[in-house]
Amino acid sequence: MTSMNAAPSPALSLSGVGRLFGALAAVRDVTFDIAHGERRAILGPNGAGKTTLFNLICGDFMPTSGTIKLFGEDITRLPAHQRARRGIGRTYQTSLLFVGLTVLENLYIAVRGAKPGRFSLLVPRASDADRAKARALTERVRLAHVADKPVADLSHGQRRQLEVGMALACDPRLLMLDEPAAGLSAAERPELNRLLKELPRDLTLVLIEHDMDVALPNADMVTVMKDGAVVVENTPDRIQDDPVVYEIYLGKKVA
Ligand SMILES: Nc1ncnc2c1ncn2[C@@H]1O[C@H](COP(=O)(O)OP(=O)(O)OP(=O)(O)O)[C@@H](O)[C@H]1O
Ligand SMILES: [Mg+2]
């Protein structure tokens, strides 16, 4: 027997969330919950509002309507850095790596940057704990063998893996990845899938992904957006048969 009262708060709860850019409703009336530990894929054509929704959840933009809760706490009006401190980690659709620095140095900066007083970075104080954490992150994102290589020497796929590591540096409870497989070759995709599979089960994951071969195997539930709104929500095995999804992807072959 389960009781409603005993139900834990969802990791993320969106209620009527919207964002206008002038007359354009980039995100409109989005309502859904993501359970603690759930893996959720967000699909949709270009311009559907997926990245804007991420920006609203992370606090890069404020919503013009609606409410956002993180583990039951209303975070709708909090600035981005306070949301990060409460456990939201994310990657960006466009890479934000320091290409002249090594993998380990990038992760070290992310670990240091995730802390209050991050501007002490200008006078780095060697901290064994932070260095050990950066080193451990190289393993978590399967880059230990290239830890001392500059980012400039990494493959595209390895850079994508490092971006996930940067997002993990703040010990997120909710990890949000914006098109982690974008631009990956078919040969690079399995490594990303392995990395995603190895993430701890209690980490809630939200994944924007055009590539169904990455999205579907990594999702418990799939949300499809179009013109700023949620049009379909279903399990990965049912989503492919949905006529709306079929139409959006114009009959593109899916896994
Ligand atoms: N800062 C902004 N100012 C004005 N319009 C914006 C802004 N950001 C996004 N938009 C518009 O909002 C709509 C949704 O864009 P968004 O980037 O969220 O789509 P997306 O689903 O992530 O698309 P893609 O798959 O191409 O990344 C688009 O019409 C876009 O031009
Ligand atoms: Mg986008």
Side-chain angles (χ1 to χ4, degrees), residues 17-52:
V17 171
R19 170 72 202 206
L20 296 170
F21 290 115
L24 174 77
V27 170
R28 59 180 97 202
D29 198 22
V30 170
T31 298
F32 61 78
D33 286 353
I34 298 181
H36 186 181
E38 186 182 330
R39 270 94 223 266
R40 175 73 60 108
I42 299 183
L43 304 182
N46 293 122
K50 306 178 300 293
T51 296
T52 303

Side-chain angles (χ1 to χ4, degrees), residues 28-32 53 223-226 228-233:
R28 59 180 97 202
D29 198 22
V30 170
T31 298
F32 61 78
L53 184 65
T223 297
V224 182
M225 292 181 72
K226 186 170 185 278
V230 172
V231 288
V232 181
E233 199 170 89

Side-chain angles (χ1 to χ4, degrees), residues 51 93 178-179:
T51 296
Q93 203 166 342
D178 195 345
E179 297 197 31

Side-chain angles (χ1 to χ4, degrees), residues 8-218:
S9 297
L12 185 68
S13 183
L14 306 178
S15 175
V17 171
R19 170 72 202 206
L20 296 170
F21 290 115
L24 174 77
V27 170
R28 59 180 97 202
D29 198 22
V30 170
T31 298
F32 61 78
D33 286 353
I34 298 181
H36 186 181
E38 186 182 330
R39 270 94 223 266
R40 175 73 60 108
I42 299 183
L43 304 182
N46 293 122
K50 306 178 300 293
T51 296
T52 303
L53 184 65
F54 261 35
N55 288 334
L56 300 179
I57 295 166
C58 297
D60 290 7
F61 289 124
M62 292 295 149
T64 39
S65 57
T67 306
I68 303 170
K69 288 185 179 169
L70 181 71
F71 293 98
E73 182 192 2
D74 190 336
I75 59 163
T76 315
R77 296 285 143 209
L78 287 185
H81 69 273
Q82 286 190 27
R83 298 189 199 197
R85 212 169 288 171
R86 280 167 174 75
I88 300 182
R90 79 170 289 185
T91 63
Y92 287 83
Q93 203 166 342
T94 324
S95 176
L96 291 176
L97 300 171
F98 301 97
V99 289
L101 301 181
T102 68
V103 168
L104 193 59
E105 286 163 348
N106 269 271
L107 289 169
Y108 182 68
I109 286 171
V111 168
R112 298 276 305 173
K115 291 185 168 178
R118 56 196 161 152
F119 296 111
S120 62
L121 194 90
L122 295 172
V123 200
R125 209 160 32 87
S127 152
D128 289 345
D130 289 347
R131 287 188 191 286
K133 188 170 169 188
R135 182 69 69 180
L137 281 168
T138 65
E139 277 159 32
R140 262 178 97 178
V141 296
R142 308 177 66 87
L143 293 175
H145 60 298
V146 289
D148 298 314
K149 269 197 183 184
V151 169
D153 291 354
L154 298 184
S155 70
H156 181 73
Q158 289 170 329
R159 290 185 197 206
R160 287 277 161 186
Q161 288 165 236
L162 179 55
E163 285 159 18
V164 176
M166 303 290 276
L168 286 171
C170 70
D171 298 318
R173 294 188 287 168
L174 172 65
L175 179 64
M176 307 188 36
L177 306 178
D178 195 345
E179 297 197 31
L184 293 196
S185 67
E188 287 173 319
R189 249 173 256 150
E191 187 69 350
L192 176 72
N193 273 331
R194 267 193 290 276
L195 185 169
L196 296 178
K197 290 268 179 250
E198 283 172 10
L199 293 173
R201 260 330 298 198
D202 66 340
L203 179 67
T204 307
L205 182 68
V206 191
L207 191 75
I208 296 175
E209 195 46 73
H210 282 292
D211 186 338
M212 296 246 193
D213 293 340
V214 173
L216 300 188
N218 286 297

